[in-house]
Amino acid sequence: MTSATTHSPATTGALAKTPARPRAKKVRGREERSTLASVALHGTLILASLVASFPVVWIVFISLGPKTAWQSPGEVLGNLSLDNYAKVLTDTDFPQWFGASVIVAGGTTLLGVFLAATAGYAVSRMRFPGHRQLMWSFLVTQMFPMAVLIVPLYELLARFDLIDNYLGLILTYATTAVPFCAWMMKGYFDTIPHEIDEAGRVDGLTPFGTFWRLIVPLAKPGLAVTAFYSFLTAWGEVAYASQFMGADHYTLAVGIRTFATESRADWAMMTAASVIILIPATLVFLVVQRNLVSGLTAGGTKS
Amino acid sequence: MVAPVVIVLAVLVLYPLGYGFYLSLTNANEANVARDIGAFHAPATYEMVGLDNYWSILSGADGDFYPRLTWTIVWTVSCVALHIAIGMGLALLLNRKMRAKLLYRALLILPWAVPAFVGVFAWRLMLNSQYGVFNEMITAVGLPAQNWLATPFAQKVAVIMVNVWIGVPFNMVALLGGLQSIPKELYEASEMDGASPWQRFVNVTLPGLRPVTNTVVLLGCIWTFNMFAVIYLLLGQNTTGEADILVTFAFRKAFTGVSDYSGAATYGIVILALLLAFSTFYRRRQLKTEQA
């Protein structure tokens, strides 16, 4: 912000010298647009929305057709059916994978939000040795390539008997999601006035009591983004899940790949499964989307 | 209160990292690590080889590193540039009064809610060279059809396209948030002074967005450099290897053929070193411009 305020006086000075330009024929207010500009604005946004949503619409469309629909999409409209869905839900292990993903993603969300919120709050409010380095190290953990972590992590989890175990996967995902979330939460907590903490202390609350009873309720938008991010990290991760989990505990991301062999993918099954997988993600998204902008803003601008 | 995170990170990140570094100094592979064959336990027989792995990579002796590095940089720069440019464009369009704003925003954020592997499958279906709808669409507007998932150049275009589709919403939301935090008075003041829309963009919007763009660019570079799912899942077994970035290449090293654990670990450490160097440099430069 400082740079903006230092910039504008300079601009002001330069521009003030130029004589006032002749006014446009019709004087428009700040928030008004000409018809042409409106058409261009809405046209661009409609086009962009189509590009953004088309792949999703397309798999929904193909999933409603017969088995060969992916080769001849024209057949879909005349033969709408839910057969692919019925088949995925009854003839495959899909329900089991779904259950596994719900457990893993739910666990990651709970653990992720708890860890990120406490860490973010601590960094925002407390001064302790290594305070600055901690923020930097959160960023650094984002750089660790999975290729270097995956073999050692496998051995570590094996030692604690956590391979092929939901808890092992939840802990692994937490390490991916938490650093970024803590970073974001720190920015969010920074926007909550310190006076609130002081009031809590005066009323005799412990530091954790202040955090839990006063700050957490105020930080809901930030927590919503954190929950969304943790959930999606776990719901969509492929590499760890495919190496750490056995056939009895496949998550969706791993299980769905069994519909595709080396040479050929069963698109009827894959599209139907994909659509079912999308539903919980979209629901979580709808719940938090109002908070996304405000939650992310605080994290982004104040870091 | 910070203790839980520190413990979790130390155990699950620092320990594996240290162990990975140790592996990178050995010649460990599938044939010589400790393993159980039935009831028989075979102890590890790999040994320390010092910096040999690093030397064979950095000297170019393995023949894979520099081509992969070049492509990884091209991939990262193009993806991040497109993410920011498109995200900024859409954020600017959305940041004004209009009808159906909430609907547009919801539709534009949609790819973010789609788990990466589902998005990638949808694109694989659309990009199929024989039956894919994408080729039909581009031929309809007069562009030549491509064998998207088979030829090296088309593969590279395809992975960038899919990654841009997946990544724009995050950038758009972050930049939109940044735009909303710029005080309206600054725009009013500059308009009073007769600044053109372009001048307002350059002198008010861009500086006001700097805190957000700095963060988004840094995170975007780190995430894209290490992006695994898009390339690995989109190309699957069909890959010619040409479109592999360092991370997917290292993963293949560790998990296909005779697993080369030490080689993969060495790649991982080199990747980490590159990213650390980049972000340190980036932060330094950022601090300098802030003080200037």
mmCIF file of all heavy atoms in Angstrom, chain A residues 12 21 30 33 42 51-52 115 119 121 134 142-144 152 155 159 175 232 267 281 297 301, chain B residues 1-2 5 12-13 15-16 19 97 104 112-113 165 177 191 193-194 212 223 226 272 279:
data_model
loop_
_atom_site.group_PDB
_atom_site.id
_atom_site.type_symbol
_atom_site.label_atom_id
_atom_site.label_comp_id
_atom_site.label_asym_id
_atom_site.label_seq_id
_atom_site.Cartn_x
_atom_site.Cartn_y
_atom_site.Cartn_z
ATOM 1 N N THR A 12 -0.030 12.709 -9.877
ATOM 2 C CA THR A 12 -0.861 13.898 -9.744
ATOM 3 C C THR A 12 -0.114 15.114 -10.253
ATOM 4 O O THR A 12 -0.624 15.880 -11.068
ATOM 5 C CB THR A 12 -1.217 14.156 -8.261
ATOM 6 O OG1 THR A 12 -1.546 12.909 -7.694
ATOM 7 C CG2 THR A 12 -2.333 15.122 -8.144
ATOM 8 N N ARG A 21 -8.631 18.005 -20.645
ATOM 9 C CA ARG A 21 -9.024 17.543 -21.979
ATOM 10 C C ARG A 21 -10.495 17.827 -22.199
ATOM 11 O O ARG A 21 -11.263 17.876 -21.236
ATOM 12 C CB ARG A 21 -8.750 16.038 -22.102
ATOM 13 C CG ARG A 21 -7.329 15.765 -22.557
ATOM 14 C CD ARG A 21 -7.136 14.289 -22.659
ATOM 15 N NE ARG A 21 -7.200 13.694 -21.331
ATOM 16 C CZ ARG A 21 -7.334 12.385 -21.143
ATOM 17 N NH1 ARG A 21 -7.457 11.592 -22.172
ATOM 18 N NH2 ARG A 21 -7.362 11.889 -19.937
ATOM 19 N N ARG A 30 -18.947 6.975 -12.487
ATOM 20 C CA ARG A 30 -17.873 5.987 -12.344
ATOM 21 C C ARG A 30 -18.315 4.557 -12.622
ATOM 22 O O ARG A 30 -17.598 3.785 -13.206
ATOM 23 C CB ARG A 30 -17.324 6.044 -10.922
ATOM 24 C CG ARG A 30 -16.234 7.052 -10.732
ATOM 25 C CD ARG A 30 -15.776 7.054 -9.298
ATOM 26 N NE ARG A 30 -15.373 5.709 -8.862
ATOM 27 C CZ ARG A 30 -14.226 5.152 -9.209
ATOM 28 N NH1 ARG A 30 -13.393 5.790 -9.985
ATOM 29 N NH2 ARG A 30 -13.913 3.958 -8.777
ATOM 30 N N ARG A 33 -21.512 2.161 -17.692
ATOM 31 C CA ARG A 33 -20.794 1.718 -18.886
ATOM 32 C C ARG A 33 -21.646 2.005 -20.099
ATOM 33 O O ARG A 33 -22.869 2.050 -20.009
ATOM 34 C CB ARG A 33 -20.588 0.200 -18.836
ATOM 35 C CG ARG A 33 -19.418 -0.271 -18.076
ATOM 36 C CD ARG A 33 -19.319 -1.773 -18.194
ATOM 37 N NE ARG A 33 -20.492 -2.446 -17.685
ATOM 38 C CZ ARG A 33 -20.635 -2.807 -16.411
ATOM 39 N NH1 ARG A 33 -19.681 -2.551 -15.556
ATOM 40 N NH2 ARG A 33 -21.718 -3.402 -16.016
ATOM 41 N N HIS A 42 -19.836 -8.657 -20.670
ATOM 42 C CA HIS A 42 -20.590 -9.888 -20.451
ATOM 43 C C HIS A 42 -20.174 -10.968 -21.435
ATOM 44 O O HIS A 42 -20.099 -12.147 -21.077
ATOM 45 C CB HIS A 42 -22.091 -9.606 -20.532
ATOM 46 C CG HIS A 42 -22.623 -8.943 -19.298
ATOM 47 N ND1 HIS A 42 -22.972 -9.650 -18.180
ATOM 48 C CD2 HIS A 42 -22.816 -7.636 -19.000
ATOM 49 C CE1 HIS A 42 -23.389 -8.805 -17.238
ATOM 50 N NE2 HIS A 42 -23.285 -7.569 -17.710
ATOM 51 N N VAL A 51 -15.552 -21.810 -20.848
ATOM 52 C CA VAL A 51 -14.280 -22.532 -20.843
ATOM 53 C C VAL A 51 -14.056 -23.184 -19.484
ATOM 54 O O VAL A 51 -13.635 -24.337 -19.383
ATOM 55 C CB VAL A 51 -13.108 -21.582 -21.179
ATOM 56 C CG1 VAL A 51 -11.774 -22.305 -21.018
ATOM 57 C CG2 VAL A 51 -13.247 -21.042 -22.589
ATOM 58 N N ALA A 52 -14.388 -22.453 -18.412
ATOM 59 C CA ALA A 52 -14.153 -22.970 -17.066
ATOM 60 C C ALA A 52 -15.036 -24.175 -16.778
ATOM 61 O O ALA A 52 -14.604 -25.134 -16.143
ATOM 62 C CB ALA A 52 -14.391 -21.875 -16.032
ATOM 63 N N LEU A 115 -4.340 -27.752 13.340
ATOM 64 C CA LEU A 115 -2.913 -27.412 13.349
ATOM 65 C C LEU A 115 -2.660 -26.030 12.755
ATOM 66 O O LEU A 115 -1.899 -25.232 13.301
ATOM 67 C CB LEU A 115 -2.116 -28.459 12.561
ATOM 68 C CG LEU A 115 -1.974 -29.843 13.188
ATOM 69 C CD1 LEU A 115 -1.201 -30.761 12.262
ATOM 70 C CD2 LEU A 115 -1.272 -29.745 14.533
ATOM 71 N N ALA A 119 -1.169 -22.896 14.930
ATOM 72 C CA ALA A 119 0.137 -22.395 14.523
ATOM 73 C C ALA A 119 0.037 -20.963 14.010
ATOM 74 O O ALA A 119 0.847 -20.103 14.362
ATOM 75 C CB ALA A 119 0.735 -23.290 13.446
ATOM 76 N N TYR A 121 -2.147 -18.711 14.753
ATOM 77 C CA TYR A 121 -2.413 -17.800 15.867
ATOM 78 C C TYR A 121 -1.134 -17.545 16.657
ATOM 79 O O TYR A 121 -0.810 -16.393 16.994
ATOM 80 C CB TYR A 121 -3.486 -18.389 16.776
ATOM 81 C CG TYR A 121 -3.857 -17.496 17.924
ATOM 82 C CD1 TYR A 121 -4.552 -16.317 17.697
ATOM 83 C CD2 TYR A 121 -3.511 -17.831 19.228
ATOM 84 C CE1 TYR A 121 -4.893 -15.492 18.749
ATOM 85 C CE2 TYR A 121 -3.846 -17.005 20.293
ATOM 86 C CZ TYR A 121 -4.539 -15.837 20.051
ATOM 87 O OH TYR A 121 -4.869 -15.016 21.088
ATOM 88 N N LEU A 134 10.121 -19.507 11.410
ATOM 89 C CA LEU A 134 9.030 -20.462 11.293
ATOM 90 C C LEU A 134 8.181 -20.169 10.056
ATOM 91 O O LEU A 134 7.835 -21.072 9.297
ATOM 92 C CB LEU A 134 8.166 -20.428 12.557
ATOM 93 C CG LEU A 134 7.177 -21.583 12.666
ATOM 94 C CD1 LEU A 134 7.906 -22.909 12.793
ATOM 95 C CD2 LEU A 134 6.243 -21.382 13.838
ATOM 96 N N GLN A 142 6.778 -26.171 1.324
ATOM 97 C CA GLN A 142 6.054 -26.272 0.060
ATOM 98 C C GLN A 142 6.975 -26.676 -1.086
ATOM 99 O O GLN A 142 6.527 -27.059 -2.147
ATOM 100 C CB GLN A 142 5.399 -24.932 -0.291
ATOM 101 C CG GLN A 142 4.404 -24.447 0.715
ATOM 102 C CD GLN A 142 3.100 -25.180 0.601
ATOM 103 O OE1 GLN A 142 2.473 -25.239 -0.437
ATOM 104 N NE2 GLN A 142 2.690 -25.796 1.698
ATOM 105 N N MET A 143 8.265 -26.540 -0.867
ATOM 106 C CA MET A 143 9.205 -26.795 -1.954
ATOM 107 C C MET A 143 9.691 -28.233 -1.975
ATOM 108 O O MET A 143 10.336 -28.647 -2.917
ATOM 109 C CB MET A 143 10.445 -25.909 -1.802
ATOM 110 C CG MET A 143 10.151 -24.450 -1.777
ATOM 111 S SD MET A 143 11.693 -23.593 -1.436
ATOM 112 C CE MET A 143 11.061 -22.046 -0.862
ATOM 113 N N PHE A 144 9.439 -28.972 -0.877
ATOM 114 C CA PHE A 144 9.958 -30.332 -0.852
ATOM 115 C C PHE A 144 9.252 -31.172 -1.895
ATOM 116 O O PHE A 144 8.050 -31.386 -1.816
ATOM 117 C CB PHE A 144 9.754 -30.958 0.534
ATOM 118 C CG PHE A 144 10.597 -30.333 1.596
ATOM 119 C CD1 PHE A 144 10.399 -30.636 2.923
ATOM 120 C CD2 PHE A 144 11.597 -29.436 1.256
ATOM 121 C CE1 PHE A 144 11.177 -30.051 3.904
ATOM 122 C CE2 PHE A 144 12.386 -28.847 2.226
ATOM 123 C CZ PHE A 144 12.161 -29.156 3.561
ATOM 124 N N PRO A 152 11.485 -42.186 1.901
ATOM 125 C CA PRO A 152 11.705 -42.122 3.350
ATOM 126 C C PRO A 152 10.413 -42.142 4.149
ATOM 127 O O PRO A 152 10.341 -42.784 5.198
ATOM 128 C CB PRO A 152 12.415 -40.783 3.544
ATOM 129 C CG PRO A 152 12.977 -40.437 2.235
ATOM 130 C CD PRO A 152 12.114 -41.048 1.214
ATOM 131 N N GLU A 155 9.187 -45.623 4.550
ATOM 132 C CA GLU A 155 9.908 -46.381 5.581
ATOM 133 C C GLU A 155 9.501 -45.935 6.978
ATOM 134 O O GLU A 155 9.357 -46.749 7.884
ATOM 135 C CB GLU A 155 11.417 -46.192 5.392
ATOM 136 C CG GLU A 155 11.871 -46.693 4.038
ATOM 137 C CD GLU A 155 13.204 -47.395 4.100
ATOM 138 O OE1 GLU A 155 13.913 -47.180 5.109
ATOM 139 O OE2 GLU A 155 13.512 -48.151 3.181
ATOM 140 N N ARG A 159 7.585 -48.217 9.815
ATOM 141 C CA ARG A 159 8.125 -48.478 11.145
ATOM 142 C C ARG A 159 7.042 -48.336 12.209
ATOM 143 O O ARG A 159 7.041 -49.035 13.207
ATOM 144 C CB ARG A 159 9.284 -47.510 11.418
ATOM 145 C CG ARG A 159 10.220 -48.023 12.495
ATOM 146 C CD ARG A 159 11.424 -47.120 12.628
ATOM 147 N NE ARG A 159 12.151 -46.937 11.385
ATOM 148 C CZ ARG A 159 12.970 -45.888 11.166
ATOM 149 N NH1 ARG A 159 13.115 -44.958 12.088
ATOM 150 N NH2 ARG A 159 13.607 -45.785 10.030
ATOM 151 N N THR A 175 0.898 -32.710 6.338
ATOM 152 C CA THR A 175 2.167 -32.008 6.122
ATOM 153 C C THR A 175 2.149 -31.212 4.828
ATOM 154 O O THR A 175 2.876 -30.243 4.686
ATOM 155 C CB THR A 175 3.363 -32.985 6.047
ATOM 156 O OG1 THR A 175 3.166 -33.854 4.944
ATOM 157 C CG2 THR A 175 3.518 -33.767 7.312
ATOM 158 N N LEU A 232 -9.603 -30.541 -0.152
ATOM 159 C CA LEU A 232 -9.278 -30.796 -1.559
ATOM 160 C C LEU A 232 -7.920 -31.461 -1.720
ATOM 161 O O LEU A 232 -7.732 -32.302 -2.591
ATOM 162 C CB LEU A 232 -9.303 -29.496 -2.359
ATOM 163 C CG LEU A 232 -10.657 -29.037 -2.860
ATOM 164 C CD1 LEU A 232 -10.463 -27.950 -3.895
ATOM 165 C CD2 LEU A 232 -11.451 -30.183 -3.462
ATOM 166 N N TRP A 267 -14.443 -45.373 -20.334
ATOM 167 C CA TRP A 267 -14.911 -44.009 -20.079
ATOM 168 C C TRP A 267 -16.310 -43.952 -19.497
ATOM 169 O O TRP A 267 -16.643 -43.009 -18.780
ATOM 170 C CB TRP A 267 -14.822 -43.158 -21.353
ATOM 171 C CG TRP A 267 -13.420 -42.751 -21.634
ATOM 172 C CD1 TRP A 267 -12.633 -43.163 -22.661
ATOM 173 C CD2 TRP A 267 -12.611 -41.847 -20.856
ATOM 174 N NE1 TRP A 267 -11.383 -42.582 -22.573
ATOM 175 C CE2 TRP A 267 -11.350 -41.766 -21.480
ATOM 176 C CE3 TRP A 267 -12.826 -41.106 -19.697
ATOM 177 C CZ2 TRP A 267 -10.318 -40.991 -20.993
ATOM 178 C CZ3 TRP A 267 -11.808 -40.329 -19.200
ATOM 179 C CH2 TRP A 267 -10.566 -40.272 -19.851
ATOM 180 N N ALA A 281 -17.014 -32.552 -3.365
ATOM 181 C CA ALA A 281 -16.099 -31.418 -3.511
ATOM 182 C C ALA A 281 -16.884 -30.152 -3.815
ATOM 183 O O ALA A 281 -16.631 -29.083 -3.250
ATOM 184 C CB ALA A 281 -15.086 -31.702 -4.609
ATOM 185 N N THR A 297 -7.936 -13.224 0.851
ATOM 186 C CA THR A 297 -7.420 -11.869 0.766
ATOM 187 C C THR A 297 -6.537 -11.544 1.950
ATOM 188 O O THR A 297 -5.412 -11.080 1.810
ATOM 189 C CB THR A 297 -8.568 -10.844 0.831
ATOM 190 O OG1 THR A 297 -9.547 -11.255 -0.070
ATOM 191 C CG2 THR A 297 -8.063 -9.482 0.502
ATOM 192 N N THR A 301 -2.665 -10.622 1.424
ATOM 193 C CA THR A 301 -2.147 -9.268 1.473
ATOM 194 C C THR A 301 -1.295 -9.004 2.701
ATOM 195 O O THR A 301 -0.437 -8.155 2.685
ATOM 196 C CB THR A 301 -3.293 -8.240 1.480
ATOM 197 O OG1 THR A 301 -4.212 -8.651 2.477
ATOM 198 C CG2 THR A 301 -3.968 -8.198 0.131
ATOM 199 N N MET B 1 1.640 -23.165 21.655
ATOM 200 C CA MET B 1 0.552 -23.520 20.766
ATOM 201 C C MET B 1 1.071 -23.907 19.377
ATOM 202 O O MET B 1 0.383 -24.499 18.565
ATOM 203 C CB MET B 1 -0.407 -22.336 20.624
ATOM 204 C CG MET B 1 -1.790 -22.868 20.692
ATOM 205 S SD MET B 1 -3.164 -21.811 21.024
ATOM 206 C CE MET B 1 -2.728 -20.212 21.273
ATOM 207 N N VAL B 2 2.304 -23.548 19.147
ATOM 208 C CA VAL B 2 2.893 -23.846 17.864
ATOM 209 C C VAL B 2 3.497 -25.254 17.883
ATOM 210 O O VAL B 2 3.801 -25.829 16.849
ATOM 211 C CB VAL B 2 3.947 -22.762 17.525
ATOM 212 C CG1 VAL B 2 5.219 -22.998 18.297
ATOM 213 C CG2 VAL B 2 4.208 -22.683 16.050
ATOM 214 N N VAL B 5 2.332 -28.296 15.409
ATOM 215 C CA VAL B 5 2.787 -28.203 14.024
ATOM 216 C C VAL B 5 4.261 -28.527 13.912
ATOM 217 O O VAL B 5 4.696 -29.255 13.023
ATOM 218 C CB VAL B 5 2.591 -26.779 13.472
ATOM 219 C CG1 VAL B 5 2.925 -26.755 12.006
ATOM 220 C CG2 VAL B 5 1.202 -26.327 13.708
ATOM 221 N N LEU B 12 7.541 -35.617 10.099
ATOM 222 C CA LEU B 12 7.105 -36.064 8.778
ATOM 223 C C LEU B 12 7.760 -35.325 7.619
ATOM 224 O O LEU B 12 7.596 -35.706 6.470
ATOM 225 C CB LEU B 12 5.586 -35.947 8.663
ATOM 226 C CG LEU B 12 4.825 -36.972 9.502
ATOM 227 C CD1 LEU B 12 3.356 -36.650 9.538
ATOM 228 C CD2 LEU B 12 5.049 -38.378 8.965
ATOM 229 N N VAL B 13 8.467 -34.242 7.885
ATOM 230 C CA VAL B 13 9.126 -33.549 6.789
ATOM 231 C C VAL B 13 10.639 -33.539 6.975
ATOM 232 O O VAL B 13 11.377 -33.961 6.081
ATOM 233 C CB VAL B 13 8.600 -32.107 6.637
ATOM 234 C CG1 VAL B 13 9.310 -31.423 5.483
ATOM 235 C CG2 VAL B 13 7.104 -32.103 6.381
ATOM 236 N N TYR B 15 12.614 -35.341 9.037
ATOM 237 C CA TYR B 15 13.219 -36.659 9.065
ATOM 238 C C TYR B 15 13.310 -37.276 7.659
ATOM 239 O O TYR B 15 14.394 -37.672 7.228
ATOM 240 C CB TYR B 15 12.479 -37.588 10.038
ATOM 241 C CG TYR B 15 12.939 -39.011 9.906
ATOM 242 C CD1 TYR B 15 14.113 -39.429 10.528
ATOM 243 C CD2 TYR B 15 12.246 -39.912 9.109
ATOM 244 C CE1 TYR B 15 14.565 -40.729 10.367
ATOM 245 C CE2 TYR B 15 12.694 -41.211 8.945
ATOM 246 C CZ TYR B 15 13.850 -41.617 9.578
ATOM 247 O OH TYR B 15 14.309 -42.883 9.406
ATOM 248 N N PRO B 16 12.178 -37.319 6.918
ATOM 249 C CA PRO B 16 12.280 -37.879 5.564
ATOM 250 C C PRO B 16 13.269 -37.119 4.696
ATOM 251 O O PRO B 16 13.965 -37.711 3.871
ATOM 252 C CB PRO B 16 10.867 -37.739 5.001
ATOM 253 C CG PRO B 16 9.994 -37.643 6.177
ATOM 254 C CD PRO B 16 10.795 -36.968 7.239
ATOM 255 N N TYR B 19 16.688 -38.253 5.596
ATOM 256 C CA TYR B 19 16.874 -39.603 5.104
ATOM 257 C C TYR B 19 17.038 -39.613 3.582
ATOM 258 O O TYR B 19 17.872 -40.342 3.035
ATOM 259 C CB TYR B 19 15.667 -40.451 5.515
ATOM 260 C CG TYR B 19 15.835 -41.916 5.250
ATOM 261 C CD1 TYR B 19 16.559 -42.707 6.118
ATOM 262 C CD2 TYR B 19 15.260 -42.494 4.125
ATOM 263 C CE1 TYR B 19 16.726 -44.063 5.868
ATOM 264 C CE2 TYR B 19 15.415 -43.850 3.866
ATOM 265 C CZ TYR B 19 16.155 -44.631 4.746
ATOM 266 O OH TYR B 19 16.314 -45.960 4.495
ATOM 267 N N LYS B 97 -19.477 -3.330 -10.723
ATOM 268 C CA LYS B 97 -20.907 -3.591 -10.561
ATOM 269 C C LYS B 97 -21.463 -4.147 -11.842
ATOM 270 O O LYS B 97 -21.232 -3.613 -12.922
ATOM 271 C CB LYS B 97 -21.621 -2.259 -10.254
ATOM 272 C CG LYS B 97 -21.909 -2.072 -8.795
ATOM 273 C CD LYS B 97 -22.952 -0.992 -8.604
ATOM 274 C CE LYS B 97 -22.950 -0.524 -7.164
ATOM 275 N NZ LYS B 97 -23.036 0.937 -7.060
ATOM 276 N N TYR B 104 -21.255 -15.604 -12.417
ATOM 277 C CA TYR B 104 -19.976 -15.663 -13.119
ATOM 278 C C TYR B 104 -18.878 -16.130 -12.173
ATOM 279 O O TYR B 104 -18.062 -16.968 -12.513
ATOM 280 C CB TYR B 104 -19.561 -14.290 -13.663
ATOM 281 C CG TYR B 104 -20.349 -13.825 -14.863
ATOM 282 C CD1 TYR B 104 -20.855 -12.529 -14.920
ATOM 283 C CD2 TYR B 104 -20.567 -14.666 -15.946
ATOM 284 C CE1 TYR B 104 -21.571 -12.085 -16.017
ATOM 285 C CE2 TYR B 104 -21.282 -14.232 -17.046
ATOM 286 C CZ TYR B 104 -21.788 -12.925 -17.080
ATOM 287 O OH TYR B 104 -22.477 -12.496 -18.160
ATOM 288 N N TRP B 112 -11.504 -24.954 -9.589
ATOM 289 C CA TRP B 112 -10.766 -25.086 -8.335
ATOM 290 C C TRP B 112 -11.376 -26.179 -7.462
ATOM 291 O O TRP B 112 -10.690 -26.869 -6.718
ATOM 292 C CB TRP B 112 -10.777 -23.742 -7.598
ATOM 293 C CG TRP B 112 -9.800 -23.635 -6.494
ATOM 294 C CD1 TRP B 112 -8.790 -24.522 -6.206
ATOM 295 C CD2 TRP B 112 -9.699 -22.597 -5.538
ATOM 296 N NE1 TRP B 112 -8.083 -24.072 -5.114
ATOM 297 C CE2 TRP B 112 -8.624 -22.900 -4.687
ATOM 298 C CE3 TRP B 112 -10.430 -21.422 -5.306
ATOM 299 C CZ2 TRP B 112 -8.250 -22.083 -3.635
ATOM 300 C CZ3 TRP B 112 -10.060 -20.617 -4.264
ATOM 301 C CH2 TRP B 112 -8.974 -20.933 -3.428
ATOM 302 N N ALA B 113 -12.716 -26.328 -7.554
ATOM 303 C CA ALA B 113 -13.388 -27.333 -6.732
ATOM 304 C C ALA B 113 -13.229 -28.727 -7.318
ATOM 305 O O ALA B 113 -13.466 -29.714 -6.637
ATOM 306 C CB ALA B 113 -14.874 -26.981 -6.603
ATOM 307 N N TRP B 165 -5.903 -24.248 -16.941
ATOM 308 C CA TRP B 165 -7.329 -24.377 -16.616
ATOM 309 C C TRP B 165 -7.520 -24.635 -15.123
ATOM 310 O O TRP B 165 -8.378 -24.050 -14.471
ATOM 311 C CB TRP B 165 -7.945 -25.519 -17.433
ATOM 312 C CG TRP B 165 -9.410 -25.734 -17.188
ATOM 313 C CD1 TRP B 165 -10.441 -25.023 -17.735
ATOM 314 C CD2 TRP B 165 -10.007 -26.712 -16.332
ATOM 315 N NE1 TRP B 165 -11.635 -25.505 -17.273
ATOM 316 C CE2 TRP B 165 -11.403 -26.542 -16.409
ATOM 317 C CE3 TRP B 165 -9.502 -27.720 -15.506
ATOM 318 C CZ2 TRP B 165 -12.303 -27.336 -15.702
ATOM 319 C CZ3 TRP B 165 -10.392 -28.517 -14.795
ATOM 320 C CH2 TRP B 165 -11.777 -28.321 -14.896
ATOM 321 N N GLY B 177 -9.379 -10.512 -4.421
ATOM 322 C CA GLY B 177 -9.288 -10.064 -3.042
ATOM 323 C C GLY B 177 -8.364 -8.866 -2.927
ATOM 324 O O GLY B 177 -8.665 -7.888 -2.238
ATOM 325 N N GLU B 191 -8.660 9.895 -10.828
ATOM 326 C CA GLU B 191 -9.600 10.244 -11.887
ATOM 327 C C GLU B 191 -9.822 11.754 -11.931
ATOM 328 O O GLU B 191 -9.916 12.357 -12.999
ATOM 329 C CB GLU B 191 -10.927 9.532 -11.643
ATOM 330 C CG GLU B 191 -11.708 9.316 -12.912
ATOM 331 C CD GLU B 191 -12.821 8.307 -12.693
ATOM 332 O OE1 GLU B 191 -12.756 7.554 -11.716
ATOM 333 O OE2 GLU B 191 -13.765 8.281 -13.489
ATOM 334 N N ASP B 193 -7.667 13.821 -11.282
ATOM 335 C CA ASP B 193 -6.489 14.368 -11.934
ATOM 336 C C ASP B 193 -6.455 14.059 -13.417
ATOM 337 O O ASP B 193 -5.475 14.359 -14.093
ATOM 338 C CB ASP B 193 -5.219 13.823 -11.277
ATOM 339 C CG ASP B 193 -5.096 14.300 -9.849
ATOM 340 O OD1 ASP B 193 -5.647 15.374 -9.560
ATOM 341 O OD2 ASP B 193 -4.481 13.598 -9.035
ATOM 342 N N GLY B 194 -7.488 13.375 -13.917
ATOM 343 C CA GLY B 194 -7.589 13.124 -15.348
ATOM 344 C C GLY B 194 -6.784 11.941 -15.838
ATOM 345 O O GLY B 194 -6.425 11.871 -17.012
ATOM 346 N N VAL B 212 -0.097 -8.887 -3.016
ATOM 347 C CA VAL B 212 -0.742 -10.130 -3.446
ATOM 348 C C VAL B 212 0.047 -10.775 -4.578
ATOM 349 O O VAL B 212 0.311 -11.978 -4.554
ATOM 350 C CB VAL B 212 -2.195 -9.878 -3.905
ATOM 351 C CG1 VAL B 212 -2.881 -11.192 -4.225
ATOM 352 C CG2 VAL B 212 -2.953 -9.134 -2.842
ATOM 353 N N TRP B 223 4.680 -24.189 -6.683
ATOM 354 C CA TRP B 223 3.697 -25.242 -6.946
ATOM 355 C C TRP B 223 3.829 -25.796 -8.360
ATOM 356 O O TRP B 223 3.714 -27.002 -8.574
ATOM 357 C CB TRP B 223 2.282 -24.714 -6.720
ATOM 358 C CG TRP B 223 1.941 -24.546 -5.263
ATOM 359 C CD1 TRP B 223 2.588 -25.133 -4.211
ATOM 360 C CD2 TRP B 223 0.890 -23.766 -4.698
ATOM 361 N NE1 TRP B 223 1.994 -24.751 -3.040
ATOM 362 C CE2 TRP B 223 0.956 -23.918 -3.298
ATOM 363 C CE3 TRP B 223 -0.110 -22.957 -5.238
ATOM 364 C CZ2 TRP B 223 0.060 -23.291 -2.441
ATOM 365 C CZ3 TRP B 223 -0.997 -22.332 -4.379
ATOM 366 C CH2 TRP B 223 -0.914 -22.497 -2.989
ATOM 367 N N ASN B 226 6.789 -28.058 -8.980
ATOM 368 C CA ASN B 226 6.609 -29.379 -8.377
ATOM 369 C C ASN B 226 5.300 -30.056 -8.773
ATOM 370 O O ASN B 226 4.911 -31.040 -8.157
ATOM 371 C CB ASN B 226 6.644 -29.260 -6.849
ATOM 372 C CG ASN B 226 8.060 -29.252 -6.318
ATOM 373 O OD1 ASN B 226 8.973 -29.702 -7.006
ATOM 374 N ND2 ASN B 226 8.244 -28.739 -5.130
ATOM 375 N N LEU B 272 14.940 -29.236 -4.691
ATOM 376 C CA LEU B 272 14.791 -28.408 -3.495
ATOM 377 C C LEU B 272 15.812 -27.280 -3.487
ATOM 378 O O LEU B 272 15.478 -26.120 -3.199
ATOM 379 C CB LEU B 272 14.961 -29.287 -2.255
ATOM 380 C CG LEU B 272 14.917 -28.573 -0.913
ATOM 381 C CD1 LEU B 272 13.577 -27.883 -0.729
ATOM 382 C CD2 LEU B 272 15.150 -29.557 0.217
ATOM 383 N N SER B 279 13.736 -18.821 -4.413
ATOM 384 C CA SER B 279 12.889 -18.019 -3.518
ATOM 385 C C SER B 279 13.711 -17.074 -2.648
ATOM 386 O O SER B 279 13.242 -15.988 -2.318
ATOM 387 C CB SER B 279 11.964 -18.897 -2.674
ATOM 388 O OG SER B 279 12.583 -20.073 -2.316
#
